[in-house]
Amino acid sequence: MTRDIGVLAGSRGPRALRKAGGAPCWLSLASRDTKAAKEFYERVLGWCHVPLLGSAGTARSLALKAGVPVGTISEASCDLGVHAGWMPHFAVDDLDHAVGRLRDRGATVAVGPLTTAAGRAAVAAGPHDVVFGLRHRAPDRRWTPAEGPVARLELHTGDVFAAALFYGGVLGWADELGDSCQVEYSGGDILVRDGPRQVAALKEGAVPGFEGRRHWHTCFRVADVDEAADAAAVWGGRVISPPRGSHALREAVLADREGIPFAVVAE
């Protein structure tokens, strides 16, 4: 591939670990059955759940692993709910400006901008109807991809360069005028970095077992990949791609009770 991605490339030296502009800052899951979803992820991934204040008559909780936040699980009709699986949210300095950039690029703003308990937020559908969120600030600054229970976030797409241009333009990646995420092209993938940390990747193709579907894909850390795969089958989910690799590289692709895919990797 020879297309020019210079508008995204940028270059900066290492800096302190902190969330840059355009970095992933949260995860949420809109579920048709929050009770079943909480039980599944508790049994399979070892999470616990803390009830949160939601709209009248709706269920909403915070998922934690060893006291570290993973994200929120809500009914599909509430809390920016779009039933699209695990949805990443990205931090932007100016939410209204970012929403304007979305509309300029032909994206659909599905929800918001609106004010939530955790600050102003919006939900959008980008190319191929891939759903993601925007937030003015992170709901919990302890949430950090690549360092906590969330191992990585990947966008599986048919054109990584087009995706990089879209998300880079909306989220301000490689913006030399601000403190933004930087990107690089490596081995066919577009890697998104916050300083020395890789916080997301754009990858060509689909999630194994979900060919034809384009969406953000989440990978969670577990103590034992094989045990998690076995537990997923026992508790009503599926094993999409059996465990492979060894030691710290061992991973598998699973689906929960509602067919929502996610990956697990060894801690």
Side-chain angles (χ1 to χ4, degrees):
M1 294 182 180
T2 59
R3 249 183 287 183
D4 182 12
I5 57 171
V7 296
L8 295 171
S11 61
R12 289 183 184 175
R15 51 191 173 79
L17 295 182
R18 60 180 184 272
K19 288 182 176 63
C25 67
W26 197 243
L27 274 178
S28 64
L29 174 65
S31 173
R32 297 186 182 95
D33 187 337
T34 57
K35 182 178 179 181
K38 288 188 294 183
E39 180 184 49
F40 176 86
Y41 287 103
E42 177 183 348
R43 299 291 187 178
V44 176
L45 302 185
W47 298 351
C48 65
H49 304 274
V50 178
L52 296 174
L53 182 64
S55 303
T58 62
R60 183 169 178 260
S61 64
L62 172 65
L64 299 164
K65 182 177 181 181
V68 179
V70 179
T72 49
I73 297 177
S74 308
E75 289 183 357
S77 60
C78 70
D79 187 39
L80 308 182
V82 178
H83 188 75
W86 283 102
M87 181 173 68
H89 300 248
F90 297 87
V92 292
D93 291 333
D94 188 326
L95 183 64
D96 295 296
H97 190 198
V99 167
R101 292 196 296 262
L102 277 167
R103 292 188 170 120
D104 289 344
R105 289 161 174 79
T108 300
V109 180
V111 180
L114 52 76
T115 300
T116 73
R120 298 191 73 233
V123 171
H128 306 292
D129 295 324
V130 174
V131 179
F132 62 98
L134 299 174
R135 289 185 177 270
H136 176 63
R137 60 183 173 86
D140 191 318
R141 297 192 68 83
R142 295 175 298 168
W143 191 94
T144 306
E147 293 187 351
V150 180
R152 63 179 186 264
L153 296 172
E154 299 172 343
L155 175 65
H156 289 256
T157 180
D159 189 330
V160 294
F161 287 95
L165 290 170
F166 172 81
Y167 286 96
V170 170
L171 301 175
W173 293 344
D175 183 357
E176 292 298 329
L177 299 178
D179 185 19
S180 65
C181 285
Q182 298 300 294
V183 299
E184 65 181 64
Y185 180 63
S186 176
D189 300 335
I190 301 289
L191 308 182
V192 184
R193 297 188 181 279
D194 178 2
R197 291 179 300 153
Q198 180 183 320
V199 294
L202 312 182
K203 304 176 74 70
E204 199 94 17
V207 177
F210 289 87
E211 286 70 18
R213 289 178 56 181
R214 310 296 184 197
H215 57 78
W216 282 95
H217 183 56
T218 308
C219 181
F220 300 109
R221 287 194 174 89
V222 294
D224 189 306
V225 170
D226 295 84
E227 286 186 3
D230 291 343
V234 169
W235 290 97
R238 289 188 295 146
V239 178
I240 304 302
S241 180
R244 63 186 185 278
S246 59
H247 305 295
L249 298 178
R250 193 159 182 77
E251 63 179 83
V253 178
L254 313 176
D256 67 12
R257 287 172 171 171
E258 297 183 39
I260 295 170
F262 61 94
V264 291
V265 63
E267 292 177 330

